[in-house]
Amino acid sequence: MTTSAPKNGPNVGAIVIISIAVAINLVIAKLMATWSYSWFPPQASSAASYVDDLFALETGIGSFIFFGCTGVMGWVLLFNRAGKYDESDGAPIEGNTKLEIIWTIIPLVTVFAIAAYTMNVNMKLQTLGPKHKYAIGSDPTTLVSFDPTAEIGPIDVIARQWSWEFVYPSGVRSSELHLPVDQRVNLRLISQDVLHSFYVPAFRLKQDIIPGSIISYSLTPTKEGRFRLRDAMFSGAYFSQNQTDVIVESEQTYDGWLKATAKQPLQPGLDPGRPLYDRRLSRGDKGWATVPPAPAPMVNDPGDPSLPHDA
Amino acid sequence: MTSTNYDPRILKAPHPVPGAPDNWKRFFSFNTDAKVIGIQYIATSLFFLLVGGLLAMIVRGELITPPADLVDPTVYNGLYTMHGTVMLFLFLFPILNGFNNLLIPTMIGAPDMAFPKLNAAAFWLVPVFATVLMGSFFAPGGPASSGWWSYPPMSLQNPLGHFINGEFLWILAVALSGISSIMGAINFVTTIIRMRAPGMGFFKMPVYVWTAWAAQTIQLVGLPALTGGAVMLLFDLSFGTSFFRPEGGGDPVLFQHFFWFYSHPAVYVLVLPVFGIFSELFPVYARKPLFGYRFVALASFGITFLSLIVWAHHMFYTGTPNWMRHVFMFTTMLIAVPTGVKVFAWLGTLWRGNLRLNTPMLFCLGGLFNFIFAGITGVMLATVPIDIHVGNTYFVVAHFHYVIFNTIAFGVFAGIYHWFPKFTGRMYYEGLGKVHFGLTFIGATLNWLPLHWAGLLGMPRRVASYDPEFAIWNVIASIGAFMLGVASIPFILNMVSSWARGPQAPPNPWRAIGLEWLLPSPPPAENFEDDIPTVISEPYGYGLGHPLVEDEEFYVRRSQEA
């Protein structure tokens, strides 16, 4: 194809085709954004809807860009392929300063807009506190003040290689985290060995737990059910076993559980890495070296890992 | 013919080491010819691609069912740690250094690198640290198993108490790799700045040279931080210091700052040259000038600059205050602007082109397709609330592999096929190449697309077992991974048989424009030697009808007669 002289007046055919393509792309982007809500676990905290809405917005914008760009690629593949013996060159277009400036400014504005919106969303989550360092051997809990807006807590969340332990203000200890629905809870995140991460996918929240530091962390569960808490920061041999459940229940059930559990004697809690470690020892310690799991935490309620979780 | 006088700016490189063989044995010798070193790098890296791929297939074999039943969890952790390390330090960095060695001197008309002996020494460090790294499989307690980022305090746990252990050898290998890369970076940057052919101003350099320059600048700024962090980690591990140990008052998060200050930009060290490969190949196979050449060239340094201030986005949930999260979110998202400029320029290059869909072009188109997707999930990961949910899940693994394999490795394959005739003197078999592309594209998509959903549902990364609700995504991913393993068979067959018995390659089989295509295939030891051409045009003059260099016919004729 040779360069053609610039035509006078707008190219009506091109405008119609581009308008139709953009309209179809907008519809697809909207569908993708709506569909994206189904990719998540149920929304079980006050943060979840903000995160899902933001994700849907980005999925919409991203889909528009993706299908727009790959649509151009598809068009070119369909209509601009050289024949087998065609040795000719394409249109020798070297550049177009106006176009280049436009497509630098459009992503810039898009990025500014998404960033501004995201900062707004992030401030609404109101969940994260900075870490406070403490000397090993001292009591870390004295360093952190209770979140005044929280109604429940502070509950100590103690992470180890490889178990979770939850200590309530009344002294009750458990291997599963019980929380009343719709109340803001303050957690104090403590690690006794390596990095761990407090991650409940249904809450859309995650906070690393850093040895030598304590983190005051607050959140509000909004849906009753049994949700999975996963260690998200790699913590060694039995990392994948380091999971337990968060049980969100009505206030009455929660109070009842707290009272009943206080009467239970201390007993070994959940220690999911232990059976695997024992099996390893019984086979003559094959496999590469690992630190032995910490002893099972002594708790009033060891929980029931066999119950199915909602998300 | 006007005689092209030797330009005084060009340093005369020393001849290959006296006594270096001039047959296939030269690839096993300490040779200072950049083209020999380039092929040494590429062959070594492809071997380790197979090693790393094999490790990945065991990992995916473990993950094809929910329980941890194939290997012991400690073995699993060692395998994926070594998979990541091998793929980055023994496949991707070396193979791109291989491309730099082949392409930079030939593209800018230099006889060799600025420091040929340093260049050879940098390559020979690769087998040295490869041996150290692979040796860790035989260390007491097994290889390093705390992930490729080796976060303390877990990486400091040394259950058997031996001084020589997997982690020790791992840190040593990473430090040696850093030294090798810095040696390379000094060489590439010096060569680009000092040894261009007469007439080749910065805005007449091919985009590959621009991107290599931008990437190697990151190496010079960032690598010292990683090496410093690695040395401190080694001291904590072996000599009882407490830079990162909380018991001694150290802060484990400090290591993350050292680590990511380099290791996020490292992704751009890898992806920038691949942007260069895309920018070289699209014009050739679309038969069009590169759209917005200067914008594309300058965008490379835009990426370099921004890449140095994005590292804390890996630490949004480590107790980082909000102001810091917002700043780093913003800088990370800004990277979308220069990368967007490049993507639009490639689309502008393809638009109204005359496309030839041979293997290098297919890998480029596939790589661009995947990169647009990876860029969008990258912006998602930069936004703080989404990152808080999907960080450290399979969503990140999926995004990362869309960048590192589906874009970078695709670009690497495109480059191998495109320049294969030039540097081996033989043509590859197109049919095998297309089979390789088809299997790779389908396998890579099956492998990593589903894992985005596993991550959104909350499947953490680095797990040896998982809840059954993630099973479907993992089964598909494992099938994709095995398909990628199968895809290596036509590739190996093609490379070995083509190099041994393929048809002789003409000097310019693709009718490409560039100094390297004015050389015979394969180019002689010192490239143009005493007849370095004078460059008179910007690159990518497809359809414009002007010559690239003075007396172009002379060079074309000479390359054909050689």
Side-chain angles (χ1 to χ4, degrees):
Chain A
M1 192 190 275
T2 53
T3 44
S4 51
K7 288 177 194 137
N8 296 322
N11 184 339
V12 180
I15 291 172
V16 170
I17 291 175
I18 291 171
S19 307
I20 292 172
V22 169
I24 293 172
N25 198 3
L26 279 172
V27 171
I28 294 174
K30 179 73 178 60
L31 288 175
M32 290 293 291
T34 312
W35 188 31
S36 76
Y37 284 98
S38 69
W39 303 341
F40 288 95
Q43 299 181 344
S45 88
S46 58
S49 66
Y50 291 117
V51 175
D52 294 8
D53 290 344
L54 180 60
F55 188 82
L57 174 76
E58 290 193 9
T59 303
I61 296 173
S63 300
F64 185 79
I65 295 170
F66 180 76
F67 291 113
C69 293
T70 54
V72 170
M73 289 172 75
W75 177 277
V76 167
L77 281 174
L78 281 176
F79 300 114
N80 292 148
R81 283 170 63 175
K84 198 169 180 186
Y85 300 105
D86 180 1
E87 296 281 291
S88 64
D89 289 334
I93 314 165
E94 282 187 278
N96 180 334
T97 314
K98 214 184 277 174
L99 205 57
E100 286 159 38
I101 291 171
I102 288 173
W103 72 37
T104 310
I105 288 174
I106 289 176
L108 199 66
V109 171
T110 313
V111 160
F112 268 91
I114 296 177
Y117 177 66
T118 307
M119 283 185 208
N120 189 20
V121 170
N122 190 45
M123 299 310 282
K124 282 191 180 128
L125 299 189
Q126 282 188 1
T127 47
L128 297 130
K131 63 195 179 90
H132 304 270
K133 289 193 69 177
Y134 66 92
I136 297 289
S138 63
D139 177 12
T141 57
T142 56
L143 278 170
V144 176
S145 50
F146 179 67
D147 172 4
T149 61
E151 294 145 280
I152 305 287
I155 301 171
D156 286 343
V157 177
I158 302 168
R160 298 190 184 90
Q161 287 170 307
W162 292 269
S163 61
W164 292 95
E165 184 185 356
F166 306 97
V167 185
Y168 290 77
S170 61
V172 166
R173 292 165 177 267
S174 80
S175 282
E176 291 177 333
L177 179 60
H178 286 251
L179 297 175
V181 72
D182 289 328
Q183 296 199 27
R184 189 170 166 87
V185 59
N186 182 232
L187 307 170
R188 291 190 297 208
L189 306 177
I190 300 162
S191 163
Q192 297 199 334
D193 34 55
V194 300
L195 299 168
H196 296 275
S197 193
F198 177 92
Y199 177 40
V200 185
F203 290 176
R204 313 285 189 278
L205 292 174
K206 178 186 290 112
Q207 173 61 50
D208 283 5
I209 311 179
I210 295 148
S213 296
I214 181 166
I215 291 167
S216 169
Y217 190 80
S218 303
L219 58 94
T220 312
T222 54
K223 184 184 169 73
E224 290 183 34
R226 181 176 268 269
F227 306 109
R228 211 80 175 123
L229 185 162
R230 301 192 164 94
D231 188 357
M233 180 54 86
F234 180 57
S235 59
Y238 302 107
F239 163 65
S240 56
Q241 305 296 314
N242 202 14
Q243 307 192 4
T244 185
D245 287 340
V246 182
I247 298 133
V248 181
E249 51 207 3
S250 68
E251 197 173 355
Q252 296 90 320
T253 320
Y254 171 75
D255 288 337
W257 172 81
L258 212 54
K259 279 197 197 101
T261 310
K263 295 181 192 130
Q264 298 280 329
L266 286 177
Q267 51 188 304
L270 279 189
D271 189 10
R274 180 68 55 181
L276 289 174
Y277 187 69
D278 288 343
R279 195 176 73 187
R280 172 192 169 106
L281 292 184
S282 70
R283 286 176 181 178
D285 206 359
K286 291 209 187 76
W288 290 320
T290 174
V291 291
M298 295 301 285
V299 294
N300 304 94
D301 179 3
D304 184 358
S306 66
L307 290 174
H309 52 262
D310 296 316
Chain B
M1 186 197 116
T2 56
S3 81
T4 46
N5 283 328
Y6 203 73
D7 188 285
R9 289 178 305 158
I10 294 170
L11 315 168
K12 182 73 179 161
H15 284 276
V17 175
D22 197 26
N23 51 25
W24 61 270
K25 286 181 190 153
R26 71 186 183 279
F27 295 109
F28 296 89
S29 73
F30 188 89
N31 195 304
T32 56
D33 183 351
K35 292 178 290 296
V36 172
I37 294 171
I39 288 169
Q40 286 174 325
Y41 265 119
I42 290 176
T44 312
S45 326
L46 289 176
F47 170 75
F48 281 105
L49 171 65
L50 293 178
V51 174
L54 196 67
L55 295 171
M57 275 160 56
I58 305 174
V59 166
R60 283 308 329 168
E62 169 69 80
L63 293 174
I64 204 164
T65 55
D69 43 13
L70 183 68
V71 292
D72 184 90
T74 53
V75 175
Y76 175 85
N77 295 338
L79 291 177
Y80 84 70
T81 300
M82 295 300 275
H83 159 71
T85 315
V86 166
M87 285 301 201
L88 282 169
F89 293 105
L90 289 172
F91 166 51
L92 285 171
F93 283 110
I95 204 159
L96 289 167
N97 277 349
F99 276 106
N100 285 344
N101 267 292
L102 292 179
L103 298 179
I104 290 173
T106 50
M107 279 182 165
I108 65 173
D112 203 326
M113 285 289 167
F115 311 112
K117 283 179 185 152
L118 185 73
N119 197 22
F123 165 72
W124 283 103
L125 269 179
V126 176
V128 171
F129 71 75
T131 310
V132 172
L133 191 67
M134 290 295 133
S136 75
F137 275 111
F138 305 99
S145 57
S146 42
W148 86 276
W149 53 25
S150 226
Y151 278 1
M154 202 181 57
S155 56
L156 303 174
Q157 289 184 331
N158 183 3
L160 299 183
H162 291 286
F163 183 76
I164 302 286
N165 54 60
E167 187 66 31
F168 178 90
L169 295 174
W170 185 91
I171 299 173
L172 202 63
V174 167
L176 285 171
S177 157
I179 292 167
S180 162
S181 291
I182 290 174
M183 286 157 79
I186 291 168
N187 221 338
F188 300 133
V189 171
T190 312
T191 307
I192 292 167
I193 293 178
R194 299 280 298 149
M195 295 179 65
R196 281 166 290 126
M200 184 176 270
F202 287 130
F203 283 111
K204 287 200 175 67
M205 293 195 307
V207 168
Y208 182 85
V209 181
W210 273 95
T211 54
W213 184 15
Q216 296 300 321
T217 307
I218 297 177
Q219 296 282 55
L220 290 177
V221 179
L223 258 173
L226 177 74
T227 313
V231 170
M232 288 155 87
L233 192 67
L234 188 76
F235 273 59
D236 271 11
L237 175 72
S238 302
F239 305 113
T241 55
S242 288
F243 294 107
F244 310 125
R245 272 181 201 280
E247 305 93 282
D251 188 351
V253 177
L254 180 63
F255 177 81
Q256 300 181 18
H257 285 285
F258 277 111
F259 182 82
W260 289 117
F261 180 77
Y262 170 69
S263 295
H264 192 86
V267 178
Y268 301 106
V269 175
L270 301 171
V271 85
L272 274 168
V274 167
F275 291 166
I277 291 172
F278 289 168
S279 306
E280 295 302 316
L281 268 58
F282 282 135
V284 178
Y285 298 110
R287 309 294 321 159
K288 280 186 60 195
L290 180 66
F291 194 97
Y293 159 69
R294 286 174 184 234
F295 261 58
V296 177
L298 289 175
S300 308
F301 273 92
I303 294 171
T304 298
F305 173 72
L306 286 173
S307 77
L308 295 169
I309 42 173
V310 301
W311 76 91
H313 72 229
H314 289 270
M315 298 152 72
F316 282 158
Y317 35 78
T318 59
T320 309
N322 259 331
W323 70 264
M324 200 193 270
R325 290 200 295 230
H326 289 164
V327 168
F328 280 93
M329 169 180 75
F330 193 60
T331 52
T332 305
M333 289 173 97
L334 272 183
I335 294 219
V337 177
T339 43
V341 165
K342 294 198 174 212
V343 169
F344 288 124
W346 297 325
L347 294 178
T349 308
L350 294 173
W351 187 248
R352 291 178 65 199
N354 214 4
L355 267 61
R356 277 159 188 75
L357 298 185
N358 53 5
T359 310
M361 183 61 158
L362 288 175
F363 270 107
C364 276
L365 290 168
L368 174 57
F369 180 88
N370 290 329
F371 178 68
I372 297 168
F373 190 86
I376 289 161
T377 54
V379 171
M380 289 172 171
L381 282 167
T383 44
V384 176
I386 294 172
D387 185 64
I388 285 173
H389 174 56
V390 297
N392 268 331
T393 70
Y394 259 90
F395 189 89
V396 179
V397 177
H399 161 78
F400 178 73
H401 281 88
Y402 254 78
V403 177
I404 214 92
F405 189 90
N406 294 11
T407 304
I408 298 176
F410 271 55
V412 162
F413 287 132
I416 289 176
Y417 284 109
H418 179 70
W419 282 290
F420 185 86
K422 175 50 62 189
F423 292 100
T424 62
R426 304 276 183 170
M427 298 302 288
Y428 65 87
Y429 299 110
E430 196 62 61
L432 279 173
K434 283 183 173 151
V435 170
H436 176 215
F437 169 76
L439 286 172
T440 308
F441 189 83
I442 297 168
T445 305
L446 286 180
N447 195 345
W448 290 300
L449 189 62
L451 293 178
H452 288 94
W453 282 285
L456 288 170
L457 286 171
M459 178 178 169
R461 65 195 295 195
R462 303 168 196 281
V463 287
S465 65
Y466 52 84
D467 287 333
E469 63 253 36
F470 306 124
I472 178 69
W473 307 119
N474 282 283
V475 170
I476 301 171
S478 293
I479 292 169
F482 299 140
M483 198 186 254
L484 285 178
V486 174
S488 64
I489 296 168
F491 177 62
I492 298 169
L493 270 180
N494 201 354
M495 292 296 109
V496 173
S497 62
S498 303
W499 202 355
R501 296 187 286 112
Q504 289 282 342
N508 192 356
W510 317 124
R511 296 192 301 124
I513 296 175
L515 291 186
E516 79 269 33
W517 301 104
L518 296 175
L519 288 162
S521 303
E526 304 254 296
N527 300 338
F528 292 99
E529 206 145 12
D530 291 330
D531 262 318
I532 292 171
T534 301
V535 179
I536 51 174
S537 308
E538 281 191 3
Y540 317 112
Y542 298 92
L544 297 172
H546 54 60
L548 178 68
V549 299
E550 279 178 12
D551 290 313
E552 194 160 291
E553 298 82 8
F554 164 74
Y555 291 99
V556 172
R557 201 177 337 110
R558 194 171 67 170
S559 68
Q560 281 163 347
E561 284 163 3

